[in-house]
Amino acid sequence: MLRPAPNHSAAHEIQGSITGLAGDVLHGWAFAPQTPDLRLAVEIYVDDACVAVVRADLDQGNDDTAGDGFHGFAVHVRKPWLKDGACLRARIANQGPWLDGDIRLPAQTPASLTDRLSTQVWHTGGLTLRGWAWDADAPTRHVDIHVLHKTAHGWERVLDATANRHHPALLYRATADHGFDIDLPWTFADGQVHTLALETDRGVPLTGSPISLCVHPEGARALLARACGETPEQPPVRHLLDTLLQHQDTLAPRSAGFGVYAQWHTAFQHPQPMQPHTGSTLVLLMGPGSAADEARSLHSLRQQRLPADQIRSLRLDDGSTPTALANFPQQLAAQLADPALACIIPLQRGDHLPTHALDTLLAALTTHQADWAYADCDQDDADGQRSNPWLKPAWDETLFYGIDLVTPGTAVSACALRRALQHLAQHGPQLPVCWHSLLAGVVASSTGPVIHVPQVLYHRSESAPAAPHQALPDATREQALHWLANQRVPGARLTHVADFPALTRVQWPLPSQPPTVSLIVPTRDQLVLVRTCVEGLLHHTDYPGLEIIVVDNDSRDADTLAWLDHVQSQGVRVLRYPQPFNYAAINNWAVEHAQGDIIGLINNDIAICHPDWLREMIGQLLRPGIGAVGARLLWPNAMVQHGGVVVGINGLAAHTGNHNDQHDPGYLGLNQVARQQSAVTAACLLVRKRDYLRHGGLDARRYPVAFNDVDFCLRLRESGLNLVWTPFATLTHAESASRGKEDSPAKAARAHREQRHFIQRWSALCAQGDPYYHPGLSADYSTGPYGGLALPPRPFAPRA
């Protein structure tokens, strides 16, 4: 039922109107004359369903402005909602009056608004601006964006950008590569208020512009400490403020672009006080390079805080000659015979170490009694400044098979190396003894913890690859990885990643009798989606011993019911579940009826892309210590919808990779290699049935719809099992196409309860930080994981 006509009796209290709809962006304004500084919240309705809430705090963009002219709003309304609706409306939030200007659907875009209404810019804090610009008259054109800064002398143009990045807000347009990320310079992080205006290359202001920002890079807690001083014993009020500000920094994280990394490094990468240590370090000077390169590396050793009598160096040539391979074991063995030797650190010619590198790595080894430790690294740019940081995850053997992130900035204990040499002598006689085989031997024989020190303790030379996926393939590393993988699972095969020859993958073998897999597909009606999904499982999945279970959650559509009857003749089990929708309860009930040893949770809006997807996931799952496996999921336009889950984003959790195309490398190449994650989505998740039942399945009471998969994965990890995400199982996922949107007060309340339960259960883990995500990377939801640098970074504590 449509709501009554607008009530104008409150016109003296609230003014406002919808001013236009162009494409799928609605514009309007709302103003309270009695409180002109108040920025009202506006609810957007398609028919009787609230589809969005927006703050009216933008430039109104017309001459007849109310108040200070910044009571406008702009909000993206998805085209499918508009297509199925009859009327678009807006009202003040919480049962306030309706605004004028209802739009009957379908609507025509006013020609005068076309340019303006095809743009959007957001700023949620920090030094990053994000948005999109789309030219309705030339949909493939990439619009240029100009950024102007308001100064005492007027507006000065400070930055230019091009809207040519994929953006999730444009998924339902013909092309989605019209987004932009603008990284503001560090000079704006001075604690002062700055006003910026953004306009297109045709001089049209972007929706959301101008923007005022005030950035304190050190965060609210640091400002309090600066104002009040650091004291060991805090009075109760100060302690309360400190706690509240810590909570604020967690819930409202800010970020900066990688373009200001040099300034970020200066601000936050401070050496810790040196601790005295016994024992010496051996630096292996390796790889090709000139005499000048070697001199630069050796000079950094002479500048170390660690006393010179505790530092040794062993010069090796590039390791490409038989002589080098023959001499290295004897040279290393002579050094390892010395009981005073504590650790070995590799250093490529031309690379160099900051002054606190050796003592910090040595401290990490001895403090944690670790077999080995590794730190982050960055690169010299043409001017010798810091650039291209590799901010690494905690130790992840799955990732190690794809990318060697650990060698630049690693320190291996002498004990671990002696043990590795013995292990190689017994199990790897076919391997030449070089750095990569030694490292593989250390991984294979390690008995102690591996420590990641989240500090930049290694500087790559300007000539080194900017990112791991840009390196050249290394045959000696590949040989060592092949040996290591077969140590773990005999029959494993190492191959190159397509289009990225420096990256590798392991194809884990299946047993001669592969386990039976039960794939569970819940559905309610949605015939087109579920039929595509099930037909892909039946006819386009290369795996023996497959049980497909469709759980009918009270379908009413006649065509769907007829199809459910028909599909049983093809061997599909159809289980009837005529209960209220509860995603967790539906899957838990179905698992109890499943006959397979492996459970696959599959959403009904999943479509199969390649027939070998399930073999890849099963191979990963059957590895020792793996509790669950998730797939790479794509939107229908081939952008990444799920690249794993990072815990702690805005205090909750978020998918990674949403700004990537399936062929993009991602940060450090992470979009193209299998790796461990704290959680993966249950839209396509594999787990052993015994582990599912042992951990109680999905929590149907606290998380009936959302967060049940993240909570389940975190419980698996809590018990000591690891989670793997693999890009080599790629499927298409029209996220929430079946369930729909949170378009009612009951659904919104349920979503808030699930978020609250998640925070209550996992707040300590969120505060501690996701081990597979660096504390220096952005935790801002609008930026997304790997979208920038955190302002301020989370604590840089070593991670085991």
Side-chain angles (χ1 to χ4, degrees):
M1 179 183 297
L2 298 179
R3 56 97 177 160
N7 178 8
H8 295 284
S9 62
H12 66 285
E13 298 176 1
I14 300 292
Q15 300 175 9
S17 175
I18 292 174
T19 57
L21 174 71
D24 47 11
V25 179
L26 180 72
H27 284 252
W29 61 280
F31 174 59
Q34 303 301 318
T35 52
D37 293 333
L38 180 65
R39 312 300 166 179
L40 298 170
V42 179
E43 298 172 344
I44 309 302
Y45 284 75
V46 174
D47 298 336
D48 284 340
C50 179
V51 298
V53 179
V54 63
R55 180 76 63 185
D57 58 0
L58 305 179
D59 177 14
Q60 289 161 240
N62 58 60
D63 295 333
D64 186 20
T65 58
D68 59 7
F70 287 88
H71 296 280
F73 62 83
V75 61
H76 174 240
V77 184
R78 289 188 175 182
K79 285 188 175 180
W81 305 347
L82 299 175
K83 178 182 177 182
D84 298 333
C87 188
L88 186 61
R89 312 167 189 275
R91 70 184 301 173
I92 303 303
N94 298 321
Q95 304 300 311
W98 294 91
L99 304 182
D100 292 330
D102 294 358
I103 295 179
R104 293 289 170 178
L105 301 173
Q108 299 295 321
T109 300
S112 61
L113 298 177
T114 297
D115 270 341
R116 180 179 179 80
L117 297 183
S118 298
T119 65
Q120 183 71 62
V121 60
W122 295 274
H123 175 254
T124 56
L127 291 174
T128 301
L129 305 178
R130 281 183 162 77
W132 52 271
W134 185 70
D135 188 338
D137 295 327
T140 61
R141 184 174 82 89
H142 293 128
V143 177
D144 289 330
I145 308 297
H146 306 313
V147 181
L148 297 90
H149 179 217
K150 188 176 184 180
T151 70
H153 307 290
W155 293 95
E156 296 182 0
R157 186 163 151 186
V158 292
L159 283 172
D160 294 318
T162 301
N164 58 2
R165 294 195 60 187
H166 284 90
H167 198 288
L170 306 176
L171 286 171
Y172 297 98
R173 295 180 184 267
T175 54
D177 57 339
H178 301 285
F180 62 81
D181 295 347
I182 297 177
D183 297 331
L184 300 175
W186 192 261
T187 52
F188 286 102
D190 57 2
Q192 303 299 313
V193 176
H194 298 276
T195 301
L196 303 175
L198 286 82
E199 63 183 26
T200 70
D201 45 19
R202 296 179 179 173
V204 178
L206 269 64
T207 301
S209 171
I211 290 170
S212 292
L213 56 88
C214 180
V215 178
H216 296 274
E218 62 269 63
R221 294 182 72 199
L223 288 177
L224 177 66
R226 185 197 302 172
C228 302
E230 295 283 3
T231 56
E233 296 295 331
Q234 295 181 353
V237 173
R238 166 68 187 279
H239 179 73
L240 175 61
L241 284 174
D242 189 73
T243 302
L244 291 174
L245 291 178
Q246 180 182 11
H247 183 66
Q248 173 66 20
D249 283 343
T250 301
L251 295 182
R254 296 168 299 163
S255 62
F258 288 105
V260 298
Y261 168 70
Q263 295 89 344
W264 184 92
H265 178 274
T266 300
F268 299 117
Q269 289 286 309
H270 303 303
Q272 298 298 314
M274 180 180 169
Q275 302 175 17
H277 297 285
T278 59
S280 60
T281 64
L282 172 65
V283 177
L284 298 179
L285 195 61
M286 308 186 309
S290 65
D293 292 331
E294 181 168 312
R296 178 175 175 81
S297 299
L298 293 175
H299 177 73
S300 72
L301 300 185
R302 292 192 291 270
Q303 300 299 312
Q304 293 297 303
R305 298 190 307 186
L306 193 69
D309 59 359
Q310 292 181 249
I311 303 174
R312 320 177 195 174
S313 63
L314 177 60
R315 296 177 178 85
L316 306 174
D317 69 13
D318 63 7
S320 62
T321 66
T323 302
L325 296 178
N327 292 338
F328 178 54
Q330 289 77 14
Q331 293 173 309
L332 183 61
Q335 295 286 343
L336 289 173
D338 185 351
L341 182 64
C343 68
I344 294 87
I345 296 174
L347 180 61
Q348 293 288 326
R349 283 179 173 83
D351 298 351
H352 59 107
L353 303 173
T355 58
H356 58 292
L358 295 185
D359 65 89
T360 303
L361 287 169
L362 186 57
L365 284 173
T366 56
T367 301
H368 299 277
Q369 297 183 328
D371 278 352
W372 49 297
Y374 66 97
D376 305 318
C377 62
D378 61 15
Q379 186 174 26
D380 300 333
D381 67 10
D383 299 320
Q385 300 297 311
R386 311 270 44 85
S387 67
N388 296 327
W390 295 9
L391 303 182
K392 307 172 186 179
W395 168 244
D396 174 359
E397 183 174 326
T398 303
L399 176 61
F400 179 69
Y401 291 113
I403 302 174
D404 181 13
L405 291 180
V406 300
T407 291
T410 199
V412 183
S413 74
C415 292
L417 264 183
R418 295 185 190 105
R419 189 167 56 245
L421 284 170
Q422 294 175 355
H423 188 86
L424 288 170
Q426 296 173 1
H427 303 284
Q430 75 277 21
L431 282 180
V433 179
C434 61
W435 169 252
H436 291 302
S437 61
L438 279 174
L439 189 54
V442 170
V443 175
S445 61
S446 180
T447 58
V450 180
I451 300 299
H452 171 229
V453 182
Q455 299 177 45
V456 176
L457 299 179
Y458 189 100
H459 302 317
R460 308 185 318 276
S461 70
E462 180 189 354
S463 61
H469 60 273
Q470 296 175 348
L472 296 174
D474 188 326
T476 58
R477 170 171 158 78
E478 293 164 16
Q479 188 177 5
L481 290 176
H482 177 81
W483 172 83
L484 176 61
N486 277 270
Q487 287 282 294
R488 301 303 198 202
V489 182
R493 189 165 66 94
L494 190 82
T495 60
H496 288 283
V497 176
D499 301 323
F500 296 94
L503 306 184
T504 50
R505 64 172 290 196
V506 177
Q507 293 176 286
W508 302 98
L510 300 182
S512 57
Q513 293 294 327
T516 301
V517 179
S518 296
L519 300 180
I520 297 170
V521 185
T523 195
R524 175 182 291 175
D525 298 320
Q526 299 294 336
L527 175 59
V528 173
L529 292 175
V530 70
R531 181 167 56 196
T532 299
C533 176
V534 171
E535 288 181 353
L537 300 179
L538 278 171
H539 307 301
H540 304 292
T541 297
D542 177 20
Y543 189 84
L546 196 59
E547 179 189 39
I548 301 174
I549 301 174
V550 175
V551 186
D552 175 24
N553 183 210
D554 203 20
S555 293
R556 303 297 178 86
D557 175 66
D559 291 339
T560 302
L561 294 173
W563 177 81
L564 289 171
D565 290 337
H566 165 73
V567 79
Q568 295 181 76
S569 65
Q570 297 179 274
V572 176
R573 292 180 64 191
V574 176
L575 304 180
R576 310 290 178 175
Y577 188 85
Q579 305 294 333
F581 176 74
N582 182 316
Y583 179 82
I586 291 170
N587 281 287
N588 291 346
W589 180 79
V591 168
E592 294 178 358
H593 292 78
Q595 299 173 358
D597 299 319
I598 306 296
I599 298 298
L601 305 184
I602 307 292
N603 277 17
N604 67 347
D605 49 2
I606 290 288
I608 307 305
C609 299
H610 303 287
D612 61 349
W613 68 276
L614 189 54
R615 286 181 174 271
E616 163 66 15
M617 295 182 72
I618 293 295
Q620 294 283 359
L621 183 64
L622 296 183
R623 294 167 53 203
I626 304 302
V629 178
R632 178 168 63 183
L633 304 181
L634 306 178
W635 296 103
N637 70 347
M639 288 181 65
V640 176
Q641 184 264 326
H642 170 256
V645 173
V646 171
V647 176
I649 303 299
N650 274 94
L652 293 167
H655 288 188
T656 70
N658 290 163
H659 290 274
N660 291 330
D661 179 86
Q662 65 172 324
H663 301 297
D664 290 339
Y667 182 67
L668 302 183
L670 297 180
N671 191 40
Q672 299 296 338
V673 289
R675 49 193 166 84
Q676 291 172 200
Q677 293 280 268
S678 289
V680 293
T681 180
C684 181
L685 178 147
L686 259 61
V687 61
R688 292 176 178 84
K689 183 176 179 178
R690 68 171 185 267
D691 287 334
Y692 190 98
L693 296 176
R694 182 163 61 94
H695 289 84
L698 305 181
D699 189 333
R701 183 175 67 86
R702 294 181 178 87
Y703 312 104
V705 176
F707 291 105
N708 43 56
D709 48 3
V710 180
D711 169 76
F712 176 68
C713 289
L714 293 179
R715 286 187 278 122
L716 286 175
R717 285 201 67 246
E718 201 173 44
S719 71
L721 295 172
N722 292 318
L723 288 297
V724 167
W725 172 87
T726 173
F728 309 117
T730 295
L731 306 98
T732 299
H733 180 212
E735 185 183 25
S736 300
S738 178
R739 175 165 58 90
K741 49 190 178 291
E742 314 294 0
D743 55 3
S744 70
K747 289 183 178 180
R750 185 264 308 151
H752 287 308
R753 285 196 302 273
E754 291 169 331
Q755 291 184 13
R756 185 173 66 251
H757 288 146
F758 183 84
I759 292 172
Q760 290 171 347
R761 174 65 175 87
W762 299 108
S763 60
L765 176 63
C766 291
Q768 179 184 358
D770 190 322
Y772 301 111
Y773 191 67
H774 195 281
L777 292 170
S778 170
D780 180 357
Y781 187 85
S782 66
T783 301
Y786 305 105
L789 302 164
L791 289 181
R794 298 168 294 287
F796 289 122
R799 308 186 292 177

